[in-house]
Amino acid sequence: MAAALALIFLLLVTVSSSFASSPRKIPRLGVSPRLGVTSRHGESTRQDDVLLKAKNNGFKTFYYKQTIDHFNFKPESYATFKQRYVVKTDCWGVGKHSPILVYLGEESAIDGDLENIGFLTENAPNFGALVVYIEHRFYGKSVPFGSHENALRNATLRGYFNSAQALADYAEVILHVKKQFKGEKSPVIVIGGSYGGMLAAWFRLKYPHIATGALASSAPVLYFDNITPSDEYYRRVTKDFKDVSHSCYKTIKHSWSEIDRVAAQPNGLVTLSKKFRTCKTLKDPIIFKDFLDTLYSSAAQYDRHPDYPVSTMCRGMDGGKLGKDILGRVASGVAAYYGANSTCYNISQFFPDETLDGWGWQSCSDMVIPIGHGYKDTMFPAAPFLLKEYEDACKATYGVLPRPHWTTTYYGGHRMREVLKRFGSNIIFSNGLRDPYSGGGVLEDISDTIVAIKTKKGSHCLDIVKATRTDPEWLVLQRKIEIQVINSWLLKYYQDLLKGI
């Protein structure tokens, strides 16, 4: 149980096997990899730099007086907090009733989105659009009543930290922005990636009177309530590595037992620490294996040009610069991934503490994504998702049980094609098939207006990150198709507006 409590912070997924008899993390959602973050202080400094850059690029920051509880009428529900949103008006108002492009923040501060997401700003000139980024409650500077840490310690306050409240926040902010910038009749297109992509799709379904359409990038809306097999994520991670190098795949597959063997020897953890250049001496092989698990899954999830981390890591392993034995090859792969400038590896912090803590709570409440290691087609030790152990770990940490069926009850998911074909419209589900989360995505068109745009070589949220000169043709084409679809929605909106519909 002590191990369970220690590891619950790492984005819970419960498993039981020789790999660990304690909770395992849910592979992080989010648009961009956050590897290399070493401290909350360092992250804060980086965010300040991003805000300064954003201001210089024409963004202006505002704060909306947001309601803490949208779904109750108790006196305490009327309490408010400041929710941050950022606006760019450079292209706004070129045409009458020009569109508003709104980015729905995910499980992190919005600063990273301003730095990494290019889809809105790059297409705003063609649309004459107002660009808005809204931060998710309890992240960044949109934390109710004090610090993020204190907010999560308060069980009552923590209860307001869920996806439904976040969508209601976005609805209020968007309506406020439309009045603020005199765009009451302007169509709104909401855009999000990963968890934010799920929010974008759900927002279109829950608030169709506010959003004309939604682009949901890499949104695993079908990875709930056993719709998708729980081992699908890691099966696809394995396939990504196997497709690049079969020998690399075999090295990883055989490395787990070798790590256990070395760790069990006298001074074995010291030996592993030296071989893998960890910044601190390893105390537990489970933590180290969790680090490697995260490294491999992140490499697959964000396997994008120009570096292609899966290929980089496998070239390192196959080359065996640090040794031709199994662990020497794995260490060579890790070194290749991090690059020559890394003197040591901090295995304890892949992502900002805020994201780890916040998503830890969300995945123990309504965002229960059941992910585990299967027994077949995997380079990982078998470690199936076990709901009872997952529930016990969440209960021990937060005092409440997760609600694994709530997401499909509230947003839908079962029989999605049949249901959305009847009443849904204007949603793009985009996926890159090298993204392990694409297994829980919508990969086929549902109707003429709910479309799936997928790319064979694409990775997590690649279509909405900033465009570069080196983008492959298939990625450029994917973005053009998405714009064409959005243009068709806007054309229909304006035609209806002229008809008085």
Side-chain angles (χ1 to χ4, degrees):
M1 182 57 71
L5 293 175
L7 290 176
I8 192 83
F9 270 160
L10 295 177
L11 312 182
L12 299 168
V13 167
T14 303
V15 299
S16 68
S17 71
S18 58
F19 191 77
S21 58
S22 54
R24 269 183 54 77
K25 61 178 182 56
I26 290 176
R28 180 187 178 270
L29 289 159
V31 176
S32 300
R34 301 291 177 133
L35 302 180
V37 175
T38 57
S39 69
R40 200 174 274 127
H41 174 74
E43 178 71 4
S44 176
T45 301
R46 189 187 70 79
Q47 289 177 1
D48 291 341
D49 293 340
V50 170
L51 286 176
L52 179 60
K53 183 179 178 181
K55 184 177 180 180
N56 293 336
N57 287 337
F59 284 99
K60 187 174 181 180
T61 300
F62 297 90
Y63 288 88
Y64 178 71
K65 189 177 180 181
Q66 188 61 266
T67 304
I68 188 65
D69 182 7
H70 298 283
F71 305 111
N72 281 290
F73 296 89
K74 298 180 292 185
E76 57 267 30
S77 299
Y78 291 85
T80 60
F81 66 97
K82 292 182 178 179
Q83 183 168 18
R84 180 168 55 155
Y85 66 99
V86 181
V87 178
K88 186 175 175 64
T89 61
D90 295 15
C91 305
W92 173 242
V94 174
K96 190 176 181 181
H97 308 317
S98 295
I100 302 173
L101 304 180
V102 180
Y103 186 81
L104 305 185
E106 65 286 328
E107 74 281 20
S108 60
I110 206 169
D111 310 86
D113 299 325
L114 294 173
E115 186 176 23
N116 296 313
I117 303 301
F119 189 90
L120 292 79
T121 53
E122 290 162 2
N123 290 292
N126 293 331
F127 287 124
L130 182 71
V131 173
V132 183
Y133 289 71
I134 310 175
E135 192 164 63
H136 194 295
R137 60 167 52 200
F138 286 83
Y139 291 107
K141 297 186 177 180
S142 301
V143 180
F145 317 137
S147 71
H148 183 85
E149 295 87 345
N150 290 336
L152 281 180
R153 288 194 193 105
N154 186 317
T156 299
L157 187 57
R158 197 169 60 218
Y160 303 125
F161 186 4
N162 58 66
S163 60
Q165 297 281 7
L167 291 186
D169 289 344
Y170 295 148
E172 284 207 17
V173 173
I174 292 171
L175 292 177
H176 171 74
V177 167
K178 294 185 79 170
K179 291 181 180 178
Q180 182 182 8
F181 291 91
K182 297 179 173 57
E184 286 89 344
K185 291 187 177 181
S186 293
V188 172
I189 304 297
V190 293
I191 298 156
S194 201
Y195 167 54
M198 293 193 285
L199 294 176
W202 293 334
F203 190 90
R204 168 60 183 163
L205 297 175
K206 289 292 186 181
Y207 298 92
H209 57 293
I210 297 177
T212 300
L215 168 56
S217 176
S218 297
V221 292
L222 300 180
Y223 222 133
F224 296 94
D225 208 7
N226 298 317
I227 298 173
T228 298
S230 62
D231 64 349
E232 182 66 14
Y233 180 92
Y234 280 102
R235 190 187 67 78
R236 288 181 180 247
V237 173
T238 298
K239 184 178 185 303
D240 286 349
F241 277 84
K242 197 172 184 179
D243 286 349
V244 168
S245 168
H246 193 269
S247 60
C248 175
Y249 148 78
K250 288 179 65 178
T251 295
I252 296 171
K253 185 173 184 177
H254 295 143
S255 68
W256 308 109
S257 59
E258 185 66 8
I259 291 171
D260 288 335
R261 185 188 69 79
V262 173
Q265 296 175 353
N267 296 318
L269 290 175
V270 174
T271 300
L272 288 173
S273 301
K274 290 179 179 179
K275 181 176 283 290
F276 285 90
R277 292 160 50 189
T278 60
C279 295
K280 295 181 180 180
T281 302
L282 296 170
K283 302 297 183 183
D284 189 334
I286 291 176
I287 301 296
F288 178 59
K289 289 189 288 187
D290 186 74
F291 160 74
L292 291 177
D293 179 291
T294 301
L295 196 67
Y296 300 143
S297 59
S298 294
Q301 189 165 312
Y302 303 103
D303 193 34
R304 58 183 61 160
H305 69 290
D307 298 324
Y308 291 105
V310 172
S311 297
T312 297
M313 189 175 292
C314 282
R315 280 196 301 269
M317 288 191 192
D318 291 343
K321 186 176 180 180
L322 300 180
K324 301 298 184 180
D325 61 305
I326 290 177
L327 294 188
R329 290 184 183 277
V330 173
S332 299
V334 173
Y337 180 89
Y338 277 102
N341 295 329
S342 299
T343 57
C344 69
Y345 312 129
N346 183 350
I347 71 168
S348 63
Q349 286 188 313
F350 271 79
F351 311 111
D353 293 339
E354 176 184 79
T355 291
L356 289 172
D357 296 347
W359 190 246
W361 160 250
Q362 287 192 265
S363 61
C364 259
S365 49
D366 64 336
M367 292 290 105
V368 181
I369 302 176
I371 293 180
H373 298 164
Y375 294 93
K376 297 181 180 179
D377 301 323
T378 180
M379 64 185 187
F380 300 91
F385 177 86
L386 300 174
L387 181 59
K388 179 61 168 63
E389 292 185 12
Y390 188 90
E391 290 175 334
D392 290 346
C394 290
K395 178 72 172 178
T397 303
Y398 298 109
V400 297
L401 291 173
R403 300 174 67 182
H405 309 297
W406 177 244
T407 298
T408 54
T409 300
Y410 192 69
Y411 299 115
H414 293 287
R415 300 176 18 253
M416 177 171 276
R417 173 179 294 276
E418 175 186 340
V419 173
L420 291 192
K421 195 168 186 177
R422 291 176 177 174
F423 76 88
S425 65
N426 293 7
I427 302 174
I428 297 171
F429 289 102
S430 63
N431 282 280
L433 298 184
R434 289 191 65 78
D435 172 19
Y437 268 119
S438 66
V442 177
L443 301 179
E444 302 295 336
D445 292 351
I446 291 176
S447 68
D448 291 340
T449 60
I450 301 181
V451 297
I453 300 175
K454 58 183 183 289
T455 53
K456 184 178 180 180
K457 297 181 180 180
S459 61
H460 201 63
C461 300
L462 184 57
D463 57 319
I464 61 172
V465 302
K466 287 182 178 178
T468 69
R469 292 180 179 178
T470 61
D471 285 344
E473 291 184 8
W474 56 262
L475 177 57
V476 175
L477 178 60
Q478 178 186 11
R479 291 172 176 148
K480 286 182 178 179
I481 293 172
E482 291 169 358
I483 291 300
Q484 290 173 359
V485 174
I486 293 172
N487 267 322
S488 70
W489 299 342
L490 295 176
L491 177 61
K492 180 66 165 58
Y493 175 87
Y494 292 127
Q495 288 174 340
D496 290 345
L497 196 64
L498 286 173
K499 295 176 183 176
I501 297 176

